[in-house]
């Protein structure tokens, strides 16, 4: 069921895949392919196929009526097959007798789910590629831009802003690599009949299975997997990690966008980020969407892990728990990735404010550099004590650290004022920032850039990426 927040938490193309009509059509696609496959091997008459396929259109069904009937039947497939049979019967009485031949409800529901997941991964691949491209551009653009590195939410040491994006990109690249594996593993037919033996199809079971997999563009497993949910849970865990990676970026960006920090801002647009009562507000609303997904995703994934404990050949409860959880997870993940890509592509970076914040401690952020230089002469621990004492005095007296150090003979006996000034420049203490950025970018640019995996969502347009 659609909600008023569909476009706030999700993404238009992903929402469409998991809409009521999208779910229903995926199941009907399985029924149509099943009829074709059975007819190919003489299991049902060839002339029964056309009436069945013609009726496998979601727009012909009353979704609200199906939902009401599903509550009594225990799943959506039971009323769907009954209504599909009735529709076929109105066109061809004989053909109606061959609807859903050899399959069980779970075959149709699970294979429909697989089709939806395949489409979802196509959408996610496009959005991840878009996100990675934006991160690479930002890493390159700010390769040498000095900024504050923060630990425990406090200023730590200087770094380059590009390093932050390179770290994000490195994580996203690993998730991209994992996606290829999940696209292969999850695109697997579920077809086992009532108890996973396909006894209903006799000697034609294997032949029909091969044809069904071919018609749906799915891989044929060695064995039905009604109660073996590892493939689905594995891709769900990947979605959870992807959402978490995006939420980490959103957390950082929202902290940097705070008024007191002011180093970045989300792209401005009419009606975006305002307050209902405070005209001056510019809220990081994109970050809020991503962070809310980061809160939801772990619990959704945990439910799927719990649901792996299933009984014998067909489950009671664990399987059913997936029906709402997987769609919700796919939707929030799709929304998180698309929104993060939007944030990164439109990010406003305030480098002047970064320089101000680098100097806000009046040299304290460079205390380590001085300590190590002094330690070369008197040892690290004694140098640490000297510079720590000077740092405390600088704070207490509200003086620049350079001024305090320049008055301390324990320091000036070894480090000249010119050397101290050099050591206290943040631009001179970004370490290996640019080396790391270059390494990540080089690896990113070496990645193959083949076509996006094919699926029902392969024709997604740029308009689908627009947020309502």
């Amino acid at each position: 069921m659609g909600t008023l927040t569909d476009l706030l938490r999700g993404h238009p193309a992903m929402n469409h895949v998991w809409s009521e009509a999208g779910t229903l059509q995926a199941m009907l696609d399985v029924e149509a392919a099943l009829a074709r496959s059975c007819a190919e091997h003489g299991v049902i008459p060839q002339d029964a196929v056309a009436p069945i396929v013609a009726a496998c259109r979601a727009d012909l069904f009353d979704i609200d009526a199906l939902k009401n009937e599903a509550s009594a039947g225990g799943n959506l497939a039971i009323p769907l097959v009954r209504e599909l049979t009735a529709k076929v019967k109105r066109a061809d009485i004989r053909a109606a007798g061959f609807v859903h031949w050899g399959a069980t409800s779970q075959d149709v529901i699970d294979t429909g789910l697989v089709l939806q997941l395949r489409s979802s991964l196509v959408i996610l691949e496009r959005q991840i590629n878009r996100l990675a491209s934006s991160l690479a551009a930002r890493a390159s653009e700010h390769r040498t831009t000095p900024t504050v590195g923060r630990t425990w939410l406090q200023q730590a040491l200087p770094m380059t802003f590009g390093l932050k994006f390179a770290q994000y990109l490195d994580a996203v690249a690993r998730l991209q690599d994992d996606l290829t594996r999940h696209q292969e593993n999850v695109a697997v037919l579920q077809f086992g009949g009532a108890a996973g033996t396909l006894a209903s199809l006799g000697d034609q079971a294997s032949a029909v299975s091969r044809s069904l997999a071919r018609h749906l563009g799915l891989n044929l497993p060695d064995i039905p997997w009604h109660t073996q949910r590892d493939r689905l849970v594995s891709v769900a865990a990947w979605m959870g990690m992807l959402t978490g990676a995006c939420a980490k970026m959103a957390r950082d960006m929202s902290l940097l966008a705070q008024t007191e920090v002011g180093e970045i801002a989300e792209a401005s647009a009419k009606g975006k980020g305002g307050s209902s009562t405070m005209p001056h507000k510019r809220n990081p609303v994109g970050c809020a969407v991503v962070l809310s997904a980061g809160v939801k995703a772990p619990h959704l994934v945990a439910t799927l892990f719990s649901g792996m404990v299933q009984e014998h050949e067909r489950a009671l409860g664990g399987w059913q728990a997936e029906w709402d959880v997987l769609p919700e997870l796919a939707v929030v993940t799709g929304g998180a990735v698309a929104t993060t890509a939007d944030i990164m592509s439109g990010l406003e970076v305030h480098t002047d404010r970064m320089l101000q914040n680098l100097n806000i401690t009046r040299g304290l952020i460079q205390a380590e550099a001085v300590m190590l230089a002094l330690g070369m002469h008197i040892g690290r621990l004694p140098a640490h004590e000297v510079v720590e004492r000077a740092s405390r005095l600088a704070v207490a007296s509200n003086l620049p650290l350079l001024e305090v150090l320049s008055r301390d003979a324990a320091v000036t006996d070894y480090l000249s004022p010119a050397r101290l000034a050099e050591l206290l420049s943040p631009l001179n203490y970004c370490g290996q920032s640019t080396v790391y950025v270059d390494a990540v970018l080089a690896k990113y640019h070496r990645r193959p850039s083949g076509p996006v995996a094919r699926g029902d969502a392969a024709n997604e347009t740029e308009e689908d990426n627009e947020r309502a």
Side-chain angles (χ1 to χ4, degrees):
M1 177 181 295
T3 69
L4 292 173
T5 59
D6 275 353
L7 290 177
L8 176 61
R9 67 192 178 98
H11 171 268
M14 189 70 81
N15 291 354
H16 174 72
V17 169
W18 295 100
S19 66
E20 292 174 339
T23 298
L24 183 59
Q25 188 59 61
M27 294 170 64
L28 289 169
D29 289 344
V30 177
E31 292 288 356
L34 176 61
R36 292 188 178 100
S37 301
C38 285
E40 283 180 6
H41 300 283
V43 176
I44 70 172
Q46 185 65 49
D47 59 7
V49 174
I52 294 174
V53 171
C56 288
R57 287 172 37 200
D59 61 341
L60 299 177
F61 289 77
D62 184 335
I63 293 178
D64 288 334
L66 288 176
K67 288 193 292 187
N68 291 332
E69 293 177 34
S71 63
N75 67 59
L76 181 60
I78 292 175
L80 175 63
V81 172
R82 184 166 53 244
E83 182 60 26
L84 176 60
T85 302
K87 291 185 183 302
V88 175
K89 187 175 182 179
R90 287 194 284 271
D92 188 319
I93 294 177
R94 181 167 174 266
F98 299 103
V99 171
H100 194 64
W101 194 272
T104 193
S105 297
Q106 187 168 354
D107 292 334
V108 175
I109 292 174
D110 274 354
T111 302
L113 177 71
V114 164
L115 296 178
Q116 290 176 286
L117 281 172
R118 182 178 65 183
S119 295
S120 297
L121 294 182
V122 171
I123 294 168
L124 286 174
E125 182 175 15
R126 291 182 182 279
Q127 296 300 337
I128 294 171
N129 290 345
R130 189 165 69 94
L131 172 59
S133 178
S134 293
L135 293 173
R138 293 296 183 182
S140 178
E141 178 185 3
H142 295 286
R143 175 179 176 272
T144 61
T145 302
T147 192
V148 175
R150 297 172 171 89
T151 62
W152 290 47
L153 290 175
Q154 306 298 306
Q155 287 201 2
L157 293 172
M159 59 182 284
T160 72
F161 199 40
L163 179 60
K164 190 177 289 287
F165 293 105
Q167 291 170 337
Y168 301 153
L169 177 60
D170 193 43
V172 168
R174 289 191 294 275
L175 290 163
Q176 284 179 303
D177 292 338
D178 291 340
L179 172 58
T180 302
R181 174 171 54 85
H182 288 302
Q183 286 176 319
E184 181 73 15
N185 287 347
V186 82
V188 175
L189 177 71
Q190 170 71 288
F191 190 47
T197 66
L198 268 187
S200 55
L201 291 176
D203 293 341
Q204 296 300 319
S206 295
V208 172
S209 297
R210 286 194 297 271
S211 292
L212 183 55
R214 175 172 53 80
H215 280 295
L216 294 172
L218 298 175
N219 298 317
L220 180 65
D222 295 326
I223 191 171
W225 47 275
H226 288 130
T227 52
Q228 306 301 323
R229 315 304 286 179
D230 56 290
R231 293 183 182 91
L232 301 183
V233 176
S234 180
V235 74
W238 174 83
M239 288 183 186
M241 288 191 290
L242 175 59
T243 303
C246 290
K248 187 276 188 284
M249 299 181 219
R251 178 71 76 199
D252 284 355
M253 294 301 107
S254 62
L255 291 172
L256 294 177
Q258 290 184 106
T259 305
E260 294 82 357
V261 180
E263 294 181 0
I264 65 97
E266 291 186 16
S268 61
K270 184 177 181 181
K272 179 181 179 181
S275 165
S276 63
T277 184
M278 294 172 283
H280 68 283
K281 290 292 292 295
R282 184 172 172 184
N283 296 319
V285 293
C287 291
V289 170
V290 181
L291 288 168
S292 69
V295 171
K296 294 176 183 177
H299 304 282
L300 297 171
V301 174
T303 298
L304 293 168
F305 271 107
S306 298
M308 291 184 74
V309 184
Q310 301 197 0
E311 301 78 21
H312 300 304
E313 282 62 56
R314 298 281 298 285
L316 181 68
W319 173 53
Q320 290 81 357
E322 298 172 358
W323 297 346
D324 294 323
V325 172
L326 263 172
E328 176 72 5
L329 178 60
V331 166
V332 299
T333 301
V337 180
T339 303
T340 306
D342 290 343
I343 293 170
M344 294 305 177
S345 64
L347 196 68
E348 296 179 9
V349 180
H350 303 149
T351 56
D352 55 340
R353 189 60 179 266
M354 290 181 181
L355 287 174
Q356 292 175 24
N357 289 337
L358 274 168
N359 293 314
I360 201 171
T361 64
R362 309 180 77 180
L364 293 177
I365 196 172
Q366 291 296 107
E368 181 189 74
V370 177
M371 181 268 289
L372 291 175
L374 183 61
M376 294 296 294
H377 300 281
I378 65 175
R380 195 198 67 83
L381 188 58
H384 188 283
E385 293 172 352
V386 170
V387 177
E388 183 179 36
R389 182 176 66 247
S391 297
R392 290 176 179 172
L393 179 59
V395 173
S397 59
N398 194 29
L399 292 173
L401 182 59
L402 175 60
E403 185 172 340
V404 173
L405 291 172
S406 296
R407 297 175 180 176
D408 191 338
V411 176
T412 57
D413 283 350
Y414 303 99
L415 302 175
S416 68
R419 177 61 174 149
L420 285 173
E422 180 184 9
L423 290 169
L424 289 171
S425 171
L427 301 180
N428 295 329
Y429 204 66
C430 291
Q432 297 293 299
S433 292
T434 56
V435 174
Y436 295 144
V437 171
D438 291 345
V440 172
L441 287 176
K443 185 176 180 180
Y444 169 75
H445 290 301
R446 287 196 304 267
R447 291 177 60 86
S449 56
V452 174
R454 308 315 299 166
D456 294 339
N459 292 323
E460 179 191 5
T461 63
E462 288 303 314
E463 288 74 15
D464 291 327
N465 294 329
E466 295 180 0
R467 314 287 294 172

